Amino acid sequence: MNDAGRSASGPAVFDRRFEWPTLLAWALGVAVGGTLLLAAVTSTAAFDPFNPSWNGTADLRNHLESDPDVESELVRDTTSYETADPDETVAIVIAPDEPYTGADAKRVRSFVDEGGTLVVFENVGDEGNALLESVDADARVDGRLLRDEQHYYRGPKMPIATGVANHSITADVEQLTLNHGTAVNPGSNETTELVTTSSIASLEGDGGDTGNGTHIGTHPVATAESVGDGRVIVVGDPSITINAMRERPDNSAFIRGLYEDEERVLLDISHVADPPVLATTIETVRATPLAQTLAGTIGIALIAALAGHRITPLWRRFTRRQPHRSRCRELEETLTDAGRFSRAQSGDSQQENRRRRLDRIQRVRGGDTDIHPRRDTPEWNRRDERTDDD
């Protein structure tokens, strides 16, 4: 039987076809892996700098990192306050989840006393006020939500604060758009009111001039005061930093004014919910030259190791051969046919016959020479001798 006859009438030794269960398993694995990777580099926590959703601050982090005029750093440990130059640095704390105590509070206090600027965004949590107390600031956040029945963005609980002081921080600001913010109690006549609400704003639960005595009227929402050689700024709405509110008028300009005259920004996440492990690891590598060198060395070594091994083409993983027993029958037929072919070459030597037979087998197999379970066994060798002598 010639080659044309076999290719037309008989099946090939390899019947490659897609194995859909395997393909689906791979697709599921890719989907699960992608989900795990996304979870490792992002967060869903409010105010988290790795949260790209509406209530995260990923946009703020990206803006700080891309600003060519300032150097930014994510602070996961308050020891960063000790290495920063206070006179050229502003530290931003957004709605901390845990109180600053012990050595952490002392480091922040020393940073402010030596000339650093501390900005605290807080509305209803006690941790923000505890931090203000630990650095000996006078201002405190009230904790009750502000309302304004006439000047608001999408509702009275999103008031627009239109009272803006003449100050370097608010040079490009005409208003702040709040979202469930609170008032800031200055605590001292030495405290500057940077931004205030309209004259008809109120705090929920006031009861007008009754109740706890807080009247309907103008309320500060951002203040600044001197502490030691430094400065403390208090903002009664951390929501102006989130992705959904940062670009509302004129929140972005106000945030920019907080660090415009500084060279470095510390975005302090040391006392918030744990950020994504992989994302923080990447940030650590980016900020540490030694870690970058080590990671590069490991990567080069891994590439070199992989380059020295044969990598199975991906398409092989999605295909399969015929059942093993069927392949054996096909191989036996091929051997028999190859024996006939070798006998037809009567003028060739035995070695040349073997070479021709092996070449034919490899062509039929597709180049794979390690398929038969009995190859290189005595039985196989006797088969070779019997075929050659026929």
Side-chain angles (χ1 to χ4, degrees):
M1 183 182 296
N2 56 29
D3 291 346
R6 283 194 55 79
S7 61
S9 60
V13 173
F14 293 110
D15 179 18
R16 294 189 180 275
R17 56 188 179 274
F18 283 107
E19 192 176 54
W20 290 109
T22 302
L23 182 61
L24 292 176
W26 271 87
L28 179 60
V30 171
V32 172
T35 302
L36 293 176
L37 179 62
L38 183 64
V41 299
T42 61
S43 170
T44 58
F47 309 113
D48 194 290
F50 296 101
N51 181 358
S53 299
W54 68 272
N55 62 343
T57 57
D59 289 350
L60 173 62
R61 174 178 63 86
N62 293 334
H63 180 77
L64 290 173
E65 290 179 350
S66 62
D67 192 333
D69 297 327
V70 68
E71 177 186 353
S72 65
E73 177 186 350
L74 282 177
V75 174
R76 287 171 291 275
D77 192 294
T78 56
T79 54
S80 295
Y81 285 89
E82 297 177 336
T83 58
D85 180 3
D87 293 330
E88 303 293 341
T89 305
V90 56
I92 298 177
V93 178
I94 304 174
D97 296 321
E98 302 171 358
Y100 287 71
T101 58
D104 293 333
K106 291 180 180 179
R107 293 187 185 108
V108 180
R109 171 64 184 271
S110 297
F111 168 78
V112 174
D113 285 342
E114 294 172 7
T117 297
L118 174 67
V119 183
V120 179
F121 290 87
E122 184 62 278
N123 55 354
V124 297
D126 294 330
E127 289 76 11
N129 279 340
L131 176 59
L132 294 172
E133 181 178 0
S134 67
V135 298
D136 203 24
D138 293 324
R140 301 287 188 274
V141 296
D142 184 277
R144 293 169 295 173
L145 296 182
L146 281 167
R147 296 177 60 93
D148 194 318
E149 302 296 335
Q150 292 188 13
H151 304 88
Y152 57 80
Y153 173 47
R154 290 181 175 174
K157 292 185 180 180
M158 302 180 72
I160 295 176
T162 55
V164 179
N166 183 14
H167 195 280
S168 60
I169 294 176
T170 57
D172 298 323
V173 177
E174 295 182 358
Q175 66 180 55
L176 284 184
T177 306
L178 308 181
N179 178 16
H180 292 73
T182 189
V184 178
N185 299 321
S188 169
N189 292 332
E190 302 299 323
T191 301
T192 301
E193 297 178 0
L194 297 175
V195 183
T196 60
T197 66
S198 73
S199 59
I200 61 171
S202 64
L203 292 165
E204 282 193 344
D206 284 358
D209 290 329
T210 63
N212 56 20
T214 303
H215 64 282
I216 296 176
T218 301
H219 298 279
V221 294
T223 63
E225 61 182 290
S226 297
V227 176
D229 291 334
R231 180 172 60 174
V232 175
I233 300 171
V234 184
V235 184
D237 187 6
S239 295
I240 70 172
T241 66
I242 66 175
N243 303 327
M245 295 295 298
R246 195 177 68 88
E247 294 300 328
R248 301 280 77 81
D250 285 318
N251 296 347
S252 181
F254 176 78
I255 296 171
R256 171 72 185 181
L258 296 173
Y259 63 85
E260 183 138 30
D261 296 330
E262 309 294 347
E263 295 183 358
R264 190 178 185 189
V265 177
L266 303 181
L267 189 56
D268 188 347
I269 59 173
S270 64
H271 286 67
V272 299
D274 291 337
V277 176
L278 181 57
T280 54
T281 300
I282 293 174
E283 290 293 332
T284 300
V285 171
R286 291 175 57 185
T288 309
L290 179 60
Q292 293 177 12
T293 302
L294 180 60
T297 302
I298 293 175
I300 293 173
L302 181 60
I303 293 173
L306 291 177
H309 295 79
R310 179 176 179 269
I311 307 299
T312 302
L314 184 61
W315 65 270
R316 285 183 179 270
R317 301 173 185 266
F318 297 132
T319 60
R320 64 180 181 182
R321 300 184 178 98
Q322 288 183 333
H324 185 70
R325 189 172 299 174
S326 176
R327 296 203 314 272
C328 292
R329 288 197 298 269
E330 291 293 335
L331 190 56
E332 289 172 358
E333 293 176 8
T334 302
L335 286 170
T336 302
D337 193 38
R340 296 193 187 102
F341 177 80
S342 65
R343 289 197 303 273
Q345 310 295 326
S346 56
D348 295 340
S349 65
Q350 186 180 43
Q351 182 178 2
E352 181 66 17
N353 288 341
R354 286 182 175 178
R355 186 187 65 78
R356 291 176 181 274
R357 185 177 72 253
L358 181 59
D359 290 345
R360 180 176 175 80
I361 292 172
Q362 290 181 351
R363 287 198 300 272
V364 175
R365 288 178 177 167
D368 192 347
T369 60
D370 296 322
I371 227 180
H372 201 282
R374 292 186 295 171
R375 182 170 179 79
D376 298 327
T377 62
E379 292 82 359
W380 183 275
N381 294 331
R382 284 197 297 271
R383 176 187 296 273
D384 287 346
E385 295 170 0
R386 184 171 61 255
T387 302
D388 291 334
D389 295 335
D390 286 345

